[in-house]
Amino acid sequence: MTDSLMHRIDVQALLDKAAGLDTDTGDRRLKQIIRRVLADAFRTIEEFGVTPTEFWRAVDYVTRLGQSNEAGLLVAGLGLEHFLDILMDEEERKAGLQGGTPRTIEGPLWLAGAPLERGEVRLDQDPESDAETIVMDGQVRDPDGNPIPGAIVDVWHANTKGGYSFFDSSQSAWNLRRRIETDRDGRYRFRSIMPAGYGCPPEGTTQALLDRIGRHGQRPAHIHFFVEAPGYRKLTTQINIAGDKYLHEDFAFATRDELIVEARRETDPEAIARHGLNAPFSTLTFDFTLNREADHLPDAVVLREHATAA
């Protein structure tokens, strides 16, 4: 708009002063970022005619968001976390890095310090009578297809009700969470249960906003991974189980075609007995390719606050 208040000298001076740009102290880059954010907020308020009542409702919402500890959920739901992945992909491409397993969002439910194990690992500690057993395996490789022994595959996922241990007090400590060291052939293997998709807390602050903009808050069934090895870039990713209703409608925008895995139903009696089971189960296979680290690449290790087990 040609008569926008944003063109006024006093408004521009207000933005400079609010961001600390009228002083020589402080972090220059942070000042510039804050000024941009404030200017965008000013412009949005003016262009959409945001009233003082609407503004303070938004402030109250942000307060409740922090109190409910759902900020990590909301940034995923608004596509911000996925955009960081898009940005990192592009920075790597410009730096000449190609290939490797695609990254996707971490989400807010990782927990540091999961038990480290070797060999075939059991994730499911808590019995669930209606749970389907899964056996998942694969190999961690370098860009040339060579196995990476001693890589750490950190895996975590939800139970059949969509809950994660630690955040769901009904589950035992470290249920459905483990770190697995790959063998000399770079292989990992674990037994667990088929996770369920889940949704945002229906009465929570994230779902309240999604309701207002006409969006659902559902996620398809998925399994999270960090994969690390010395000399290689840390991989943050997750696989999605093919056939889920929300496979391509993930409210957190985390589905990538290369990360969709078919669950193969195993009904052979000999295979069932060999795994010590008495009912059919499903198998999943997924191989990870790690890119080599290099000084000219953006840092793949993300520093953020996480929950800490007691």
Side-chain angles (χ1 to χ4, degrees):
M1 56 180 67
T2 55
D3 58 346
S4 170
L5 295 176
M6 297 300 294
H7 300 300
R8 282 177 33 170
I9 294 176
D10 59 331
V11 172
Q12 292 298 312
L14 173 60
L15 285 167
D16 288 344
K17 190 172 185 63
L21 287 169
D22 62 334
T23 69
D24 294 328
T25 59
D27 186 316
R28 180 71 181 178
R29 180 170 178 270
L30 180 59
K31 292 181 182 190
Q32 293 171 331
I33 292 172
I34 289 176
R35 193 191 190 283
R36 171 66 64 83
V37 171
L38 287 174
D40 288 346
F42 283 19
R43 189 172 292 107
T44 298
I45 290 169
E46 181 184 34
E47 290 184 4
F48 286 88
V50 175
T51 68
T53 296
E54 290 172 329
F55 175 82
W56 287 109
R57 282 177 180 166
V59 172
D60 291 342
Y61 175 82
V62 172
T63 300
R64 295 196 310 275
L65 182 68
Q67 292 169 339
S68 66
N69 197 27
E70 286 194 18
L73 193 61
L74 183 64
V75 297
L78 292 181
L80 290 163
E81 193 171 4
H82 179 54
F83 181 72
L84 291 175
D85 287 339
I86 293 173
L87 185 63
M88 180 69 84
D89 289 346
E90 182 62 13
E91 289 178 350
E92 289 181 344
R93 186 192 67 77
K94 289 179 178 177
L97 185 65
Q98 301 288 339
T101 299
R103 65 170 49 83
T104 193
I105 71 168
E106 173 190 328
L109 299 171
W110 179 73
L111 190 64
L116 176 62
E117 299 185 18
R118 298 170 181 83
E120 182 167 339
V121 177
R122 184 82 180 265
L123 271 60
D124 53 322
Q125 301 171 177
D126 300 347
E128 295 189 57
S129 58
D130 58 345
E132 177 184 2
T133 296
I134 62 169
V135 175
M136 182 167 181
D137 65 359
Q139 190 177 43
V140 180
R141 301 170 179 156
D142 68 16
D144 300 318
N146 301 309
I148 304 178
I152 303 300
V153 178
D154 192 337
V155 53
W156 69 103
H157 68 80
N159 66 4
T160 59
K161 299 178 178 63
Y164 285 77
S165 60
F166 180 81
F167 302 94
D168 172 9
S169 60
S170 71
Q171 298 184 49
S172 65
W174 306 115
N175 185 44
L176 308 177
R177 299 177 184 271
R178 286 296 186 275
R179 289 179 297 148
I180 306 168
E181 183 176 328
T182 60
D183 65 16
R184 64 182 182 181
D185 296 317
R187 296 194 173 279
Y188 72 93
R189 183 183 183 91
F190 65 83
R191 173 177 157 182
S192 193
I193 59 173
M194 184 70 77
Y198 58 87
C200 297
E203 305 303 322
T205 47
T206 300
Q207 190 59 56
L209 178 59
L210 294 175
D211 287 343
R212 290 292 302 273
I213 60 177
R215 289 184 52 205
H216 70 74
Q218 300 297 314
R219 298 216 61 202
H222 59 279
I223 301 175
H224 292 272
F225 296 92
F226 286 151
V227 188
E228 300 180 80
Y232 296 88
R233 292 177 62 72
K234 179 180 180 179
L235 173 65
T236 300
T237 196
Q238 60 186 260
I239 64 158
N240 290 106
I241 313 301
D244 191 285
K245 175 181 178 181
Y246 292 101
L247 181 61
H248 295 290
E249 293 294 334
D250 182 1
F251 102 100
F253 308 100
T255 301
R256 302 185 76 159
D257 289 343
E258 305 95 322
L259 300 174
I260 297 172
V261 177
E262 293 279 351
R264 300 180 301 278
R265 187 76 166 165
E266 182 59 77
T267 59
D268 178 57
E270 291 186 5
I272 292 171
R274 189 166 58 249
H275 284 84
L277 301 171
N278 55 18
F281 64 99
S282 289
T283 63
L284 300 93
T285 297
F286 192 82
D287 298 329
F288 299 100
T289 299
L290 299 185
N291 284 312
R292 294 183 180 87
E293 193 56 272
D295 292 338
H296 65 283
L297 296 173
D299 195 348
V301 177
V302 177
L303 302 179
R304 54 184 282 189
E305 290 292 326
H306 292 100
T308 303

